[in-house]
Amino acid sequence: MPHDVELIILLAVGFGLALVFGYIAARLRLPPLMGYLIAGVIISPNTPGIVADIHLANQLAELGVMFLMFGVGMHFSLNDLMQVRRIALPGAILQIAVATLLGVGVSMMWGWSFGSALIFGLSLSCASTVVLLKALGDRGLLDSVNGKIAVGWLLVEDLVMVLALVLLPATAVLLGGQAIEGANDENIWLTLGLTLLKVSGFIAFMLIVGKRLVPFIMQIVARLGSRELFTLTVVAAAVSIAFGAYKVFGVSMALGAFFAGMVVKESDFSHRAEEETLPLREIFSILFFVAVGMLFDPRILIEEPIHVLAVVAIIMVGKTIAAMALVLFFRYPLNTALTVGASLAQIGEFSFILATLGVSLQLLSLEGQNLILAGALISITLNSFVFSAIEPVQNWIRERSYLARLLERSSDPLAMLPDEVSQDYLRDQVVIVGHGEVGRRITQNLMAENIKVVIAEENREIVEDLRAKGIAAVSGVATEAGVLIQAHIQHARLLVLSPMDILDIHKIVDIAKTLNPEIQVLVCAESKAEAEVIRKDNIGEVYFAKEEMAKNMSNYILNQIEIAHHQPPTH
């Protein structure tokens, strides 16, 4: 041919196979990225058949990393993290430490150097954002307390891994690897200090200048009404900031892309930016996973089966048990512990990025990289089955374990109302289950009218904040009778249920009416279909947001028309 077509071959074959195997994975209820990784394995130099250009794949993978990190930055929510900070922050850091120590210990038993063992342990300690969000979304858990804790936990993991990506190149020589370009071999601490200074300078620049400049540019372009120019602005911001971070400040392009996503999120057009760049981000993410698959050598499964099993055990057993133990230590229910444990029982994109960086710094061997990739493939495949096992495992443990039942008993001070709450207050009160946006607004309105309110909420941190404000609140899952008993539902006038799963609504109402047959129930439905089902079941009064908004707007319009009719005509 008169010109090179390696890039076209890579894209055509890579996307084609990624589509086929991604579809198969989705049909099997597995994350599609499993299919993308397998597509990469098929076209890699390590398997017979079509071989794509791995050097081109690596360059495209670098773009994939940038867009993945850009997406992480756009989804990073400090507010979400602050809601669960007391469990997510210490929990994630301790869990990373435990998983890293397990990885370091096992790999050093195999005779690896400390530097290799550290990269290996860190790679096994961080779960995949893509896999977690899909697993929680498929089960409707993203907005639940358990889901918010798992996502907050992962946000902390992401931040720790971003820090690791920054520090590893500067400490490569100290750990036995290759020096970064321009590093001072004789004074590694000087190199580390300069790196931290550059990173601090970049972060300060982004928070002071970037946070204002990027949203301002987006606003100017958005006024033109050109969709393609707006999309181009967002993509240019992601790539330019990532490259500028590397060229000007000497920090990784991954960190630059992460902060680019964070400053784009500050814009009033962040939702539009996310929607219009999503296809492009997903395309490059797919290329990243295909490129990662091309690096995997399947022979590791045959040549080192014991090592592979050890890696899977660290990811799916060691890390999971550590996370569950920490959640229970913070006095959250067994169900929360199992959900968080299942959420973290896999590894993904940050593991691949760390492994690739480790190989480039000559800290990690190709064998180590292959073991990490094997652990990712197996753990992602099994993760959906782990989630499916939560409920049966929970029932089995509760039936057979005295310790599990003891951990969930009311010895927890937040599971009981404080002694300061008088018995007079606990008569004819309104019990509100859930203190999300709806529950919070209802509570504020009722308390402004001096109406007695008791809150039942799963999130312990919210309960602590409510009690600090002098509001009666009890921690726990309201589907358990003990929580409603503590809220004195037997003497309550009204039960208000915030939006939640319809099965949970039925359980809570059944318990409430058993304890207080005369109680009135008000339910906030999440959808029109759910509202119709609840009305059909005659559970109580049902309110659906869009329906109520339409009623209020209609009433306002009718009132305005009536006022206009009664006004004398003007001459």
Side-chain angles (χ1 to χ4, degrees):
M1 281 193 171
H3 52 82
D4 294 330
V5 291
E6 282 83 0
L7 178 60
I8 296 173
I9 292 172
L10 172 62
L11 294 176
V13 177
F15 281 140
L17 290 174
L19 172 62
V20 172
F21 287 100
Y23 175 80
I24 293 171
R27 291 289 293 177
L28 295 173
R29 297 186 180 279
L30 297 172
L33 70 86
M34 277 293 303
Y36 311 152
L37 290 167
I38 292 170
V41 173
I42 291 173
I43 61 174
S44 77
N46 302 310
T47 54
I50 300 172
V51 177
D53 189 326
I54 196 164
H55 299 293
L56 276 174
N58 285 334
Q59 290 182 40
L60 291 172
E62 190 71 32
L63 274 172
V65 169
M66 287 165 54
F67 279 105
L68 273 171
M69 295 299 293
F70 180 68
V72 171
M74 285 194 72
H75 284 101
F76 180 77
S77 172
L78 193 59
N79 290 334
D80 288 348
L81 181 56
M82 291 304 290
Q83 283 184 3
V84 293
R85 64 191 181 281
R86 293 191 185 98
I87 181 173
L89 193 59
I93 291 171
L94 287 170
Q95 176 257 301
I96 288 171
V98 170
T100 301
L101 287 172
L102 287 172
V104 168
V106 169
S107 53
M108 290 190 78
M109 284 172 56
W110 297 337
W112 293 15
S113 67
F114 176 74
S116 297
L118 181 62
I119 298 287
F120 183 71
L122 282 171
S123 298
L124 301 186
S125 70
C126 51
S128 165
T129 307
V130 175
V131 175
L132 173 69
L133 293 178
K134 176 170 174 48
L136 294 175
D138 288 348
R139 291 160 180 81
L141 296 174
L142 267 177
D143 293 324
S144 68
V145 172
N146 292 350
K148 287 179 178 178
I149 291 172
V151 171
W153 195 296
L154 205 66
L155 287 174
V156 177
E157 282 193 356
D158 288 351
L159 288 175
V160 172
M161 292 308 127
V162 167
L163 183 62
L165 291 174
V166 169
L167 295 179
L168 278 174
T171 56
V173 174
L174 189 67
L175 295 171
Q178 183 184 39
I180 59 172
E181 186 179 349
N184 187 341
D185 293 354
E186 296 180 359
N187 194 340
I188 188 64
W189 298 110
L190 178 61
T191 302
L192 182 59
L194 287 172
T195 299
L196 291 174
L197 188 63
K198 289 176 180 177
V199 170
S200 301
F202 170 70
I203 293 173
F205 176 81
M206 291 304 296
L207 293 178
I208 296 170
V209 179
K211 189 177 179 180
R212 293 170 175 81
L213 183 60
V214 173
F216 177 69
I217 294 171
M218 289 172 64
Q219 187 177 25
I220 291 173
V221 175
R223 287 173 183 166
L224 297 174
S226 173
R227 182 174 178 177
E228 62 268 25
L229 276 178
F230 182 82
T231 304
L232 180 60
T233 303
V234 178
V235 173
V239 178
S240 301
I241 292 173
F243 181 72
Y246 170 73
K247 202 69 179 173
V248 178
F249 293 92
V251 302
S252 70
M253 286 191 276
L255 181 65
F258 175 76
F259 271 90
M262 287 187 68
V263 296
V264 167
K265 188 180 179 181
E266 293 297 317
S267 166
D268 294 335
F269 302 94
S270 58
H271 290 295
R272 180 179 168 188
E274 186 174 357
E275 287 176 7
E276 296 191 7
T277 59
L278 182 62
L280 189 64
R281 287 188 285 121
E282 289 186 338
I283 287 296
F284 279 105
S285 297
I286 291 168
L287 284 173
F288 168 73
F289 290 116
V290 171
V292 167
M294 290 175 69
L295 298 172
F296 179 59
D297 189 347
R299 288 177 296 181
I300 195 80
L301 299 171
I302 299 168
E303 295 173 359
E304 301 286 355
I306 303 300
H307 287 190
V308 172
L309 286 174
V311 170
V312 174
I314 291 171
I315 297 168
M316 302 195 69
V317 180
K319 191 167 70 164
T320 301
I321 290 175
M324 287 174 57
L326 288 164
V327 173
L328 290 172
F329 175 78
F330 285 103
R331 291 180 177 270
Y332 276 84
L334 180 62
N335 181 263
T336 301
L338 289 169
T339 302
V340 173
S343 300
L344 304 174
Q346 39 81 14
I347 59 174
E349 52 273 11
F350 264 114
S351 306
F352 306 149
I353 296 169
L354 278 169
T356 305
L357 178 63
V359 171
S360 69
L361 295 172
Q362 296 183 8
L363 280 171
L364 187 68
S365 65
L366 291 175
E367 178 194 359
Q369 186 180 44
N370 280 317
L371 286 171
I372 291 166
L373 292 172
L377 284 165
I378 295 169
S379 64
I380 290 171
T381 303
L382 297 177
N383 192 246
S384 59
F385 300 106
V386 174
F387 263 99
S388 301
I390 289 176
E391 190 169 345
V393 169
Q394 175 181 280
N395 295 335
W396 187 87
I397 291 174
R398 282 177 171 168
E399 288 171 5
R400 291 166 175 78
S401 173
Y402 171 76
L403 178 61
R405 292 194 296 273
L406 186 66
L407 285 169
E408 296 193 292
R409 281 186 181 171
S410 57
S411 56
D412 177 7
L414 293 184
M416 298 179 286
L417 286 175
D419 295 335
E420 297 81 35
V421 181
S422 68
Q423 292 300 312
D424 289 339
Y425 187 88
L426 298 173
R427 287 189 178 277
D428 292 329
Q429 80 278 21
V430 177
V431 174
I432 301 176
V433 177
H435 198 69
E437 188 174 351
V438 174
R440 186 166 59 249
R441 290 176 183 273
I442 294 172
T443 301
Q444 290 171 350
N445 292 335
L446 293 180
M447 294 193 71
E449 299 295 327
N450 294 319
I451 295 172
K452 298 179 290 186
V453 173
V454 177
I455 313 296
E457 167 61 47
E458 290 181 60
N459 191 323
R460 296 174 57 81
E461 295 183 28
I462 292 176
V463 174
E464 288 175 356
D465 291 340
L466 287 169
R467 290 194 178 187
K469 296 173 184 175
I471 300 172
V474 60
S475 171
V477 183
T479 51
E480 296 178 6
V483 175
L484 292 179
I485 290 171
Q486 278 298 319
H488 286 246
I489 195 73
Q490 60 269 34
H491 302 304
R493 176 183 295 179
L494 284 165
L495 171 65
V496 179
L497 302 180
S498 296
M500 64 181 69
D501 184 79
I502 193 165
L503 294 176
D504 290 340
I505 290 172
H506 276 280
K507 289 178 185 176
I508 294 168
V509 172
D510 287 345
I511 295 169
K513 291 200 170 180
T514 300
L515 296 168
N516 184 351
E518 303 301 320
I519 194 166
Q520 296 181 52
V521 179
L522 279 70
V523 182
C524 303
E526 288 189 301
S527 66
K528 184 179 178 181
E530 186 177 279
E532 289 174 355
V533 170
I534 296 170
R535 286 191 182 110
K536 186 178 178 182
D537 293 342
N538 198 26
I539 291 174
E541 290 293 321
V542 185
Y543 295 88
F544 170 49
K546 290 182 179 178
E547 191 174 69
E548 296 307 313
M549 182 174 66
K551 283 181 183 177
N552 289 337
M553 291 179 72
S554 299
N555 289 335
Y556 180 82
I557 293 167
L558 292 171
N559 287 335
Q560 292 300 310
I561 292 172
E562 188 176 347
I563 291 169
H565 282 164
H566 285 86
Q567 285 180 346
T570 56
H571 298 286

